[in-house]
């Protein structure tokens, strides 16, 4: 006979209870009306379909129940979206270091480090977030911890707090820090690489440049691995000026968490004196007068205040330390005064041209004479801060025949003509 399963239909034995090909039940023994037994065909495919439908229905009900009872998941994206506005507005202090930029840190980005379960509280999560901030010198990473909790099927977070802060160099050493530490660089050169003047004498850069230096960063190649920086420095030392370059080498010190300089090399010309800064015309500003009333009954005359001196440095011989100058000054050519006066009859402005004077640049803060005539003498003082002062003494011959200053005027000089090309000698 043929298998009753329509999808099979193969020929099987007449007395077979099951199809050997598809497994469908074929015969069912049942009593007939005459008390005997007869064969009844079973509806195997219909029974199997009913079972499948029942199983699918149970699965659908279970899935629906699971959907109803499932809690919303906390994703990393949701954490960053919730926390970032507050993280971006945090004021994070930059690390304190000798060479770091002093400018504030700016927020860069954040990322979730971990989301952890809370024991016996599936509606709470411990979240660790790392946020990055930076300025021109350093990158700072701050680790924050917070707890998210489920409320009304939405994740909320409690206030978070920093648990760790680390930093690494991300840029170069701050230029202002390099300039600030020029005295330290000069001291290092004095100790480790002493320099000499053209005459062979050893000289201290700290004495030449001191605290009145000016500096400019020419190159800053410092970074995470150390690097180097080159600075141009200059300073006035009395009437002389000095200029040169220093190259500073750095290493990054992991233990200290900062850079440290390991060497400083000066340029060959750093100790060479230049007097070009004197070239040009200097005029005086009156600040004091003296008169000798121990010999004569004198009152003050302030004629020099209205007629300050001028000195024009036309050329300088740096080897002989001489200069060719023009000098203009007031000489008090009058007698005694009973009362102080702004000027007096006999005050005379005198000019001498192409005078050869000797310069003494090492005599800082000390007066020395540069010119003398019978009626007056001219003195110069060069201050360690670079200030040039002039003293004009009007002479009077005492009864003994000895010349003595009886009126003295003091002036602070300021250069008013600083053209690069000095007047012809």
């Amino acid at each position: 006979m043929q298998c009753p399963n329509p999808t099979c239909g193969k020929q099987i034995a007449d007395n077979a209870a099951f199809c050997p090909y598809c497994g469908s039940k074929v015969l069912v023994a049942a009593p007939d009306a005459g008390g005997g037994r007869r064969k009844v065909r079973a509806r195997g495919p219909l029974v199997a379909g009913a079972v499948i439908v029942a199983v699918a229905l149970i699965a659908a009900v279970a899935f629906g129940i699971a959907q109803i009872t499932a809690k919303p998941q906390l994703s990393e994206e949701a954490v960053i979206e919730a926390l970032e506005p507050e993280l971006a507005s945090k004021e994070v202090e930059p690390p304190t270091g000798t060479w770091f930029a002093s400018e504030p840190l700016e927020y860069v980005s954040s990322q979730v480090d971990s989301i952890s379960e809370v024991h016996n509280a599936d509606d709470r999560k411990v979240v660790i977030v790392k946020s990055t901030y930076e300025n021109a010198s350093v990158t700072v990473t701050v680790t924050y911890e917070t707890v998210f909790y489920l409320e009304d099927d939405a994740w909320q977070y409690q206030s978070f707090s920093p648990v760790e802060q680390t930093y690494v160099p991300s840029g170069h050493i701050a230029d202002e820090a390099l300039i600030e530490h020029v005295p330290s660089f000069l001291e290092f050169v004095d100790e480790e690489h002493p320099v000499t003047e053209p005459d062979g004498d050893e000289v201290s850069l700290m004495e030449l440049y001191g605290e009145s230096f000016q500096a400019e960063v020419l190159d800053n190649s410092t970074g995470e691995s150390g690097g180097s920086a080159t600075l141009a420095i200059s300073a006035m030392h009395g009437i002389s000026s000095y200029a040169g370059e220093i190259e500073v080498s750095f290493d990054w010190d992991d233990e200290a968490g900062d850079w440290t300089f390991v060497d400083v090399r000066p340029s060959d010309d750093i100790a060479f004196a230049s007097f070009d800064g004197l070239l040009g015309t200097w005029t005086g500003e009156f600040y004091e007068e003296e008169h000798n009333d121990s010999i004569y009954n004198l009152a003050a005359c302030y004629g020099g205040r209205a007629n300050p001196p001028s000195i024009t440095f036309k050329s300088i011989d740096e080897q002989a330390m001489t200069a060719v100058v023009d000098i203009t000054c007031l000489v008090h050519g009058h007698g005694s005064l009973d009362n102080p006066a702004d000027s007096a009859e006999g005050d005379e402005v005198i000019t001498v041209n192409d005078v050869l004077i000797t310069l003494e640049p090492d005599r800082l803060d000390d007066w020395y004479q540069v010119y003398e005539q019978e009626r007056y003498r001219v003195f110069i003082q060069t201050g360690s801060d670079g200030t040039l002062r002039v003293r004009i003494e009007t002479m009077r011959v005492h009864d003994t025949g000895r010349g003595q200053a009886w009126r003295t005027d003091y002036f602070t000089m300021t250069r008013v003509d600083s053209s690069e090309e000095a007047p012809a000698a």
Side-chain angles (χ1 to χ4, degrees):
M1 66 177 180
Q2 191 176 27
C3 174
N5 184 355
T7 61
C8 180
K10 294 186 179 295
Q11 293 294 322
I12 59 175
D14 291 339
N15 61 348
F18 296 91
C19 176
Y21 299 103
C22 68
S24 297
K25 191 174 181 180
V26 176
L27 297 175
V28 177
D32 57 14
R37 299 187 65 85
R38 61 184 176 85
K39 294 180 180 179
V40 179
R41 296 185 183 274
R43 298 181 179 179
L46 295 177
V47 174
V51 172
I52 292 173
V53 171
V55 171
L57 180 60
I58 293 171
V61 171
F63 178 77
I65 294 173
Q67 289 293 98
I68 294 173
T69 59
K71 293 181 174 63
Q73 297 298 308
L74 180 62
S75 66
E76 293 185 0
E77 292 77 9
V79 169
I80 296 301
E81 183 179 356
L83 297 181
E84 192 160 42
E86 189 172 350
L87 292 171
S89 63
K90 284 280 187 181
E91 292 186 3
V92 178
E93 290 294 327
T96 56
T98 303
W99 307 102
F100 293 137
S102 58
E103 62 193 43
L105 295 170
E106 294 185 0
Y107 175 77
V108 178
S109 63
S110 295
Q111 63 180 20
V112 176
D113 188 61
S114 65
I115 300 177
S116 305
E117 303 286 343
V118 176
H119 183 63
N120 290 333
D122 57 358
D123 60 347
R124 293 180 181 273
K125 306 286 186 183
V126 176
V127 177
I128 303 296
V129 174
K130 293 183 180 292
S131 299
T132 302
Y133 307 83
E134 67 180 11
N135 62 18
S137 298
V138 64
T139 296
V140 176
T141 300
V142 183
T143 302
Y144 296 99
E145 182 182 69
T146 186
V147 174
F148 275 74
Y149 60 93
L150 195 60
E151 183 176 87
D152 298 331
D153 288 336
W155 288 102
Q156 313 291 333
Y157 71 93
Q158 298 173 347
S159 60
F160 51 84
S161 57
V163 295
E164 184 184 31
Q165 180 168 319
T166 60
Y167 62 90
V168 294
S170 58
H172 55 70
I173 293 173
D175 285 355
E176 62 267 24
L178 292 170
I179 294 174
E180 179 184 349
H181 286 82
V182 165
S184 298
F185 302 149
L186 299 179
E187 289 178 351
F188 184 93
V189 173
D190 286 345
E191 295 176 3
E192 302 296 331
H193 309 295
V195 299
T196 57
E197 293 179 307
D199 58 9
D201 292 337
E202 191 172 299
V203 63
S204 167
L205 294 187
M206 273 299 294
E207 291 183 3
L208 293 183
Y209 290 85
E211 298 298 329
S212 60
F213 68 89
Q214 293 183 337
E216 177 187 3
V217 178
L218 301 179
D219 177 70
N220 189 346
S221 301
T222 57
E224 186 174 351
S225 60
S228 63
T230 302
L231 293 87
I233 58 174
S234 61
M236 288 294 298
H237 185 70
I239 59 174
S240 57
S241 62
Y242 293 84
E245 296 180 5
I246 53 175
E247 182 180 1
V248 188
S249 300
F250 290 86
D251 280 342
W252 176 258
D253 188 338
D254 287 325
E255 183 176 348
D258 200 354
W259 287 280
T260 179
F261 71 90
V262 294
D263 197 18
V264 183
R265 293 286 179 172
S267 59
D268 294 337
D269 60 351
I270 200 165
F272 292 177
S274 172
F275 297 89
D276 290 345
L278 271 180
L279 294 174
T281 298
W282 297 67
T283 61
E285 181 180 355
F286 177 88
Y287 70 88
E288 185 181 2
E289 73 83 34
E290 291 178 349
H291 55 278
N292 193 337
D293 55 7
S294 64
I295 300 177
Y296 300 98
N297 183 22
L298 298 177
C301 178
Y302 295 98
R305 180 163 54 192
N307 297 277
S310 69
I311 300 180
T312 299
F313 290 85
K314 304 170 79 170
S315 65
I316 298 175
D317 185 336
E318 296 185 3
Q319 297 298 320
M321 287 316 308
T322 58
V324 176
V325 301
D326 296 339
I327 301 175
T328 298
C329 62
L330 180 136
V331 176
H332 296 278
H334 54 79
S336 302
L337 298 176
D338 293 330
N339 298 297
D342 288 333
S343 63
E345 186 178 354
D347 284 346
E348 181 181 359
V349 176
I350 296 177
T351 297
V352 291
N353 296 317
D354 298 330
V355 175
L356 184 66
I357 65 173
T358 299
L359 301 175
E360 300 183 46
D362 294 332
R363 294 185 62 176
L364 299 180
D365 303 314
D366 190 17
W367 291 101
Y368 61 93
Q369 181 177 310
V370 294
Y371 185 70
E372 180 178 11
Q373 286 285 1
E374 181 180 358
R375 299 175 58 194
Y376 66 97
R377 297 184 298 193
V378 179
F379 291 78
I380 284 178
Q381 181 197 72
T382 54
S384 53
D385 59 355
T387 302
L388 179 65
R389 298 180 179 88
V390 166
R391 185 176 86 201
I392 308 295
E393 294 184 351
T394 298
M395 306 302 296
R396 180 79 174 241
V397 178
H398 191 252
D399 294 340
T400 62
R402 180 172 55 90
Q404 185 171 352
W406 73 313
R407 292 190 183 277
T408 304
D409 296 323
Y410 295 85
F411 304 87
T412 299
M413 308 299 288
T414 302
R415 186 172 58 181
V416 295
D417 175 10
S418 56
S419 59
E420 294 183 1
E421 182 179 352

